[in-house]
Amino acid sequence: MKKQFDFKGEIIKAFGGENFPAEVFFGAFKKGLFELGETLLNGKIEVIMAEKDFKKVGLPVYEAIKSLKINARLLLIEDKDFSFSAVNTSFSGEISSCIAVGDKYLLSAVRYYSSLHKIPCFAIPLTPCFDKLLYKSVYLKTKGQQAELVADGFKKIIVDETLILKAKSESFAEAYACSVSKLTALIDYKLNCFLNGQSVDENLFKLVSNGINLALGSIGYESPKLSIIASQSVLMIANAKSDLLVNSGAECVKTALSVYAREIKDCKREFISFEKTLKLYHLLFSNDFSDLLSVPDYYADVEVLEKDFKRDRAYFTKNVKVPSEKRRKLINLLLLKTSPDFKRETTAILKALSGIKKAYSSMLGVAGDGNVSYKQIKNSVMAGAYLTDKVTALTLMRDLGVLQCAN
């Protein structure tokens, strides 16, 4: 018999007694808005949401805001406006603060433009993939590669699980894959620490693991979607504490897929980047590549990337730190020492992969998520290694020539 999920209780348990950040409110949006009442009473408030969300979810939120006798006006955004430029032009001197209600793309756009105008911003997410809402940067939706830009943080994020539960199944499939992909991000984090002589933050590592486990265990609850929302909540706060999860190998492959496989859904990009990265990492840790004669052709790779991403090559070359012969030997020694432990990790994840796929498909339902070609995956894996300046298993595979052989 499947268990009931105690939403707030499980989040508190994952934190091990720590207090939630002041910027986050967990509970009914009406109560959250009421607590903000004094903050919002002075001046004019801009409430921003997508047209597609208004009738289904957004109207009750707007009515709740108006019921507080707040001087608020509503701005509805067309979803086809990739850059949400209408958000930028709507701000004026008469606006004292704004409330963004929507998915991660709309919330990011409102946060960025309100930051430019120095207008306090509040957020109410309507979809479950929101692990970056407290991160120092936002990721803006574009027609190609998403843009990462530094922005002021939200003054308050109201997480009302009853609103988020109304999101589409594919949004929950994406959030599930996003949480599970952090399994490989933790491997990247440890590698980065080892090679840079840093110690692993055990408390943070445990917090992230707890967040991942909430998603992995979701299938055992009557409402698995609640467990996924809780997982994203924990990971959101972990991302506020550290950037250890950001720009991991899987995340960079996903970003590249947004260029090479624009036609597929976000959930598919999320899952396939995790699956392919996991298998590549297992390849790296299962073999001794210290005598491999293959070397990367950085120039040829960057030439392709410059053309495909329509960005100057400096954007990619700034992330490349070509290892010296001495550092290459250090990397090989580190891999020789740590590979058995990492192999055990990747083996365990691979054994669980069929169950993870089953849970992902169950979450997705009949929505479907499209197909990706071998070439699209191959190009995305190659590109992903150039989209971060961090040490990841993926960048190590590039620098050691392993990625070229794997391709």
Side-chain angles (χ1 to χ4, degrees):
M1 184 175 178
K2 292 189 176 182
K3 301 175 289 183
Q4 292 284 344
F5 187 80
D6 178 6
F7 181 70
K8 198 165 182 180
E10 289 294 335
I11 295 175
I12 292 171
K13 191 189 298 183
F15 274 88
E18 282 191 49
N19 293 325
F20 298 138
E23 299 93 338
V24 184
F25 174 88
F26 290 104
F29 71 88
K30 290 183 180 179
K31 185 178 179 182
L33 288 168
F34 181 79
E35 290 190 7
L36 294 177
E38 289 297 321
T39 308
L40 301 175
L41 279 174
N42 299 319
K44 179 173 277 189
I45 311 303
E46 184 98 280
V47 182
I48 305 169
M49 63 183 77
E51 285 182 345
K52 63 181 176 61
D53 293 326
F54 182 62
K55 287 185 179 179
K56 183 180 179 182
V57 190
L59 180 57
V61 177
Y62 184 61
E63 288 177 341
I65 293 169
K66 295 291 286 185
S67 72
L68 296 174
K69 309 302 181 186
I70 294 170
N71 182 13
R73 74 180 188 190
L74 178 65
L75 173 66
L76 295 179
I77 305 293
E78 289 187 71
D79 189 49
K80 66 180 181 181
D81 185 359
F82 281 93
S83 65
F84 296 112
S85 56
V87 174
N88 187 31
T89 56
S90 75
F91 290 129
S92 64
E94 63 180 7
I95 300 298
S96 59
S97 59
C98 64
I99 302 175
V101 185
D103 63 15
K104 61 181 178 180
Y105 295 117
L106 185 135
L107 297 184
S108 293
V110 176
R111 179 182 160 193
Y112 176 67
Y113 289 122
S114 66
S115 177
L116 285 183
H117 292 273
K118 299 301 177 186
I119 294 173
C121 186
F122 304 86
I124 303 177
L126 295 181
T127 55
C129 202
F130 56 85
D131 66 311
K132 297 274 181 56
L133 291 190
L134 283 176
Y135 185 57
K136 63 185 178 183
S137 299
V138 295
Y139 293 81
L140 297 188
K141 189 177 184 180
T142 69
K143 291 183 179 179
Q145 179 195 355
Q146 62 186 8
E148 180 181 349
L149 300 161
V150 175
D152 294 338
F154 290 113
K155 298 300 179 186
K156 185 75 77 173
I157 299 167
I158 298 173
V159 179
D160 183 340
E161 72 276 16
T162 63
L163 286 177
I164 299 171
L165 283 171
K166 297 176 182 178
K168 292 180 179 179
S169 294
E170 63 192 62
S171 294
F172 283 95
E174 179 190 1
Y176 174 79
C178 176
S179 292
V180 172
S181 73
K182 302 303 184 286
L183 289 165
T184 56
L186 287 178
I187 292 173
D188 287 333
Y189 170 61
K190 285 190 282 188
L191 271 175
N192 199 64
C193 288
F194 295 159
L195 276 170
N196 291 317
Q198 300 170 341
S199 58
V200 173
D201 186 330
E202 296 297 341
N203 290 330
L204 194 58
F205 196 91
K206 184 179 179 181
L207 178 63
V208 174
S209 298
N210 289 344
I212 298 169
N213 287 334
L214 281 169
L216 288 173
S218 62
I219 203 72
Y221 292 100
E222 282 189 10
S223 179
K225 292 179 178 180
L226 278 177
S227 187
I228 291 168
I229 298 169
S231 170
Q232 283 286 293
S233 299
V234 173
L235 295 174
M236 171 180 67
I237 300 174
N239 277 331
K241 291 174 177 285
S242 169
D243 66 351
L244 76 90
L245 301 179
V246 179
N247 293 329
S248 65
E251 191 169 285
C252 289
V253 172
K254 179 190 71 175
T255 300
L257 277 168
S258 69
V259 173
Y260 288 110
R262 293 190 184 98
E263 69 283 0
I264 66 168
K265 295 181 178 180
D266 287 349
C267 53
K268 180 70 171 184
R269 281 197 286 266
E270 195 76 61
F271 189 84
I272 204 165
S273 63
F274 159 64
E275 182 181 22
K276 298 304 178 184
T277 304
L278 169 63
K279 291 178 178 179
L280 283 170
Y281 285 17
H282 187 68
L283 172 71
L284 174 66
F285 300 129
S286 299
N287 297 277
D288 180 4
F289 292 104
S290 55
D291 293 328
L292 187 69
L293 298 178
S294 176
V295 293
D297 189 342
Y298 297 105
Y299 182 82
D301 287 349
V302 169
E303 197 170 37
V304 171
L305 294 172
E306 186 177 37
K307 176 184 174 184
D308 293 348
F309 282 70
K310 296 178 175 58
R311 302 194 70 156
D312 187 87
R313 65 185 56 202
Y315 174 81
F316 305 102
T317 55
K318 70 179 174 61
N319 290 328
V320 179
K321 299 178 179 68
V322 181
S324 63
E325 189 59 35
K326 182 178 178 181
R327 184 163 176 81
R328 194 180 293 272
K329 288 179 181 178
L330 173 66
I331 292 170
N332 282 324
L333 284 172
L334 174 73
L335 288 175
L336 190 64
K337 182 180 178 180
T338 60
S339 282
D341 288 338
F342 283 130
K343 183 183 175 182
R344 278 191 287 273
E345 284 190 48
T346 55
T347 299
I349 302 169
L350 282 169
K351 285 181 178 177
L353 189 58
S354 61
I356 291 171
K357 278 185 177 180
K358 185 177 179 180
Y360 167 79
S361 298
S362 172
M363 205 65 59
L364 187 61
V366 296
D369 54 2
N371 295 313
V372 185
S373 70
Y374 168 77
K375 185 177 180 181
Q376 287 172 319
I377 295 171
K378 176 183 173 181
N379 289 342
S380 298
V381 167
M382 180 273 289
Y386 289 86
L387 298 181
T388 181
D389 60 357
K390 288 183 179 179
V391 175
T392 69
L394 195 66
T395 60
L396 290 185
M397 293 182 79
R398 175 198 65 197
D399 293 336
L400 296 174
V402 179
L403 202 56
Q404 188 169 330
C405 294
N407 280 341

